[in-house]
């Protein structure tokens, strides 16, 4: 028997359906490990950070939270946000605190079309669609720089500045990441998303770096598309996409569009990577805490399980990741679907089906 490889994983389910889908993902991962004949195992530690913790302590995470997390092999995250806590407080206090301080500068968000799931796109029935959004995850529009002033002037007099920061280093590393990823794919193509017609500083720098980096990858096709046109292209010509690289805000929006086109926000997986591995990377479904369906057993766990597969890839277990993808496809193909994708199965039904699919 192989020596057991043990991975220390920090689980942060946080809020709403985050709790349900992280519990589901953990069960599936533990089943996978149990079936590995002792080849690998997960040592889980779960943290109760999130909006409930905020209500009790006034903080979204422990004051030494980052110090604690930094020694884990990976972080498995649910979703953050709950009515009663302002969204910017919950997001900056937990998810962005981790992403930014751990320099998880590459956010990978595959758009996967699954058998048995109806896409709102008619062409999904007879066209091979499969692309991945690579999101710059450390700067751009979410740098958190700016300020508000003049509230004292009375109602109607306040001003706010929200700055976007683009650095050559930040643009270049995410673009190289996108080109390297394109080289691993059937279609070697990178589409850069821009808005340099209107944003003449940051986005023009973005475009210039893209052109420069592209020269080092003559074997990879490129295009540069304005974000408004790209949102139309997602709907009208998605078969022409392979790797889409975009700024923090643009990719945030486009990846929700991509997952909706694949059938549901509940299906989409993501990896927040620190490619240098100086810090742990974080794996989470794209969706939020979905207060409208939380606690009812309706949450689709596929996005969280797909994120677990991305985590396995990162941990050096690509065959195990492929097993998880196969289990997801077998489950959706068998029509075991949650309500968001037209079925009647509960979170637990889908989780059990995924585990059963892993065993066959
Ligand atoms: P959301 O993603 O939570 O929900 C949008 C829609 O998708 C809702 O109709 C919801 O029911 C549905 N949905 C989401 N996940 C689902 C799943 N697993 N299965 C089935 N249906 C699912 O986005 P919303 O409503 O804009 O935000 C709710 C809260 O989540 C806010 O507090 C927001 O700040 C937070 N949020 C957190 C994110 C994160 O932690 N990464 C990302 C996006 C939002
Ligand atoms: Mg988003």
């Amino acid at each position: 028997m192989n020596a057991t490889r043990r991975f220390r994983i920090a689980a942060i389910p946080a809020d709403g359906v985050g709790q349900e889908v992280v519990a589901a993902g953990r069960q599936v991962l533990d089943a996978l490990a149990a079936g590995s004949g002792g080849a690998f195992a997960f040592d889980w530690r779960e943290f109760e950070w999130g909006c409930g913790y905020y209500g009790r302590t006034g903080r979204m995470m422990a004051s030494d939270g980052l110090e604690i997390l930094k020694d884990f092999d990976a972080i498995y995250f649910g979703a953050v946000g709950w009515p009663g806590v302002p969204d910017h407080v919950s997001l900056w206090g937990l998810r962005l605190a981790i992403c930014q301080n751990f320099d998880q500068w590459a956010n990978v968000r595959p758009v996967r079309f699954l058998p048995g799931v109806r896409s709102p796109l008619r062409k999904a029935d007879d066209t091979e669609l499969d692309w991945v959004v690579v999101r710059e995850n450390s700067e751009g529009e979410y740098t958190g720089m700016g300020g508000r002033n003049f509230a004292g002037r009375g109602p109607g007099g306040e001003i706010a500045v929200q700055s976007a920061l683009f650095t050559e280093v930040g643009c270049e590393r995410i673009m190289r990441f996108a080109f390297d990823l394109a080289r691993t794919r059937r279609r070697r193509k990178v589409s850069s998303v821009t808005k340099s017609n209107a944003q003449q500083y940051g986005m023009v720098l973005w475009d210039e770096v893209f052109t420069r980096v592209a020269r080092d990858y003559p074997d990879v096709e490129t295009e540069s598309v304005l974000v408004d046109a790209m949102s139309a292209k997602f709907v009208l010509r998605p078969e022409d996409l392979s790797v889409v690289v975009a700024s923090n805000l643009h990719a945030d929006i486009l990846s929700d569009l991509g997952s909706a086109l694949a059938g549901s926000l509940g299906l989409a997986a993501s990896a927040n990577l620190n490619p240098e591995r100086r810090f742990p990377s974080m794996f989470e479904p794209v969706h939020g805490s979905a207060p409208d369906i939380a606690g009812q057993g309706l949450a689709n766990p596929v996005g969280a399980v797909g994120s677990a597969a991305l985590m396995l890839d990162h941990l050096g277990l690509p065959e195990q990741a492929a097993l998880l993808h196969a289990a997801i496809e077998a489950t959706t193909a068998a029509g075991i679907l949650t309500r968001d994708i037209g079925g009647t199965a509960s979170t637990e039904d889908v989780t059990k089906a995924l585990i059963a699919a892993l065993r066959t």
Side-chain angles (χ1 to χ4, degrees):
M1 195 158 101
N2 296 330
T4 300
R5 291 175 69 190
R6 306 197 75 89
F7 298 103
R8 298 185 63 222
I9 313 293
I12 309 178
D15 304 316
V17 297
Q19 306 208 350
E20 295 160 74
V21 299
V22 164
R26 284 185 56 169
Q27 284 177 51
V28 174
L29 281 170
D30 282 337
L32 191 68
S36 77
F40 67 95
F42 299 104
D43 291 331
W44 295 98
R45 182 160 163 207
E46 188 157 310
F47 296 89
E48 50 162 23
W49 301 331
C51 290
Y53 184 87
Y54 181 85
R56 297 193 297 277
T57 66
R59 302 185 56 89
M60 286 299 296
M61 69 193 296
S63 52
D64 58 349
L66 292 172
E67 199 51 43
I68 297 169
L69 288 176
K70 90 179 170 9
D71 295 324
F72 283 84
D73 294 312
I75 301 165
Y76 190 50
F77 193 86
V80 69
W82 197 250
V85 181
D87 283 342
H88 65 276
V89 171
S90 54
L91 196 67
W92 278 98
L94 188 56
R95 184 179 170 275
L96 285 174
I98 296 170
C99 286
Q100 298 208 343
N101 287 300
F102 285 173
D103 202 16
Q104 294 166 346
W105 52 266
N107 183 200
V108 176
R109 298 184 154 189
V111 180
R112 291 180 94 103
F113 289 73
L114 295 169
V117 178
R118 279 258 299 281
S119 164
L121 288 180
R122 245 177 304 158
K123 69 168 56 163
D125 295 341
D126 51 24
T127 317
E128 177 95 14
L129 297 176
D130 161 38
W131 72 95
V132 45
V133 176
V134 171
R135 171 182 182 184
E136 200 300 310
N137 212 30
S138 66
E139 53 179 49
E141 307 85 348
Y142 296 176
T143 307
M145 293 195 315
R148 296 171 59 164
N149 207 352
F150 305 142
R153 291 178 180 176
E158 191 173 359
I159 59 138
V161 174
Q162 182 88 46
S163 301
L165 175 82
F166 292 87
T167 66
E168 260 192 279
V169 169
C171 295
E172 177 158 349
R173 64 184 181 178
I174 198 66
M175 284 163 188
R176 288 197 183 278
F177 185 94
F179 277 96
D180 290 336
L181 180 63
R183 280 186 168 163
T184 69
R185 294 172 57 84
R186 197 174 42 78
R187 177 103 186 256
R188 294 181 165 206
K189 177 174 180 186
V190 178
S191 306
S192 166
V193 178
T194 184
K195 192 64 197 175
S196 51
N197 55 346
Q199 297 188 296
Q200 71 273 56
Y201 308 116
M203 286 272 105
V204 171
L205 179 67
W206 172 275
D207 289 357
E208 288 173 7
V209 174
F210 184 66
T211 306
R212 176 161 61 73
V213 169
R215 283 191 210 115
D216 291 341
Y217 297 83
D219 53 314
V220 180
E221 248 183 289
T222 62
E223 66 178 350
S224 178
V225 183
L226 294 169
V227 64
D228 30 3
M230 184 57 94
S231 56
K233 184 163 186 169
F234 263 45
V235 175
L236 300 174
R237 291 214 356 105
E239 67 278 14
D240 195 40
L241 302 171
S242 180
V243 176
V244 176
V245 65
S247 70
N248 219 327
L249 170 67
H250 291 163
D252 188 3
I253 299 168
L254 287 172
S255 53
D256 269 34
L257 176 58
S259 45
L261 294 174
S264 169
L265 211 47
L267 299 170
S270 91
N272 300 284
L273 301 175
N274 173 243
E276 299 86 1
R277 296 180 187 252
R278 280 182 58 220
F279 299 101
S281 294
M282 180 159 77
F283 302 84
E284 52 159 359
V286 167
H287 65 75
S289 58
D292 54 333
I293 59 163
Q296 301 171 48
L298 295 172
N300 192 337
V302 168
V305 173
S307 306
L310 294 172
M311 181 164 82
L312 293 169
D313 269 327
H314 182 74
L315 295 173
L317 299 169
E319 309 82 18
Q320 304 294 329
L323 289 177
L324 266 198
H325 287 305
I328 290 172
E329 293 192 353
T331 301
T332 58
I336 302 162
L337 310 171
T338 44
R339 196 177 69 178
D340 56 309
I341 43 177
T344 55
S346 65
T347 311
E348 194 188 342
D349 295 335
V350 175
T351 308
K352 284 191 174 138
L354 288 165
I355 291 170
L358 283 176
R359 297 211 173 105
T360 57

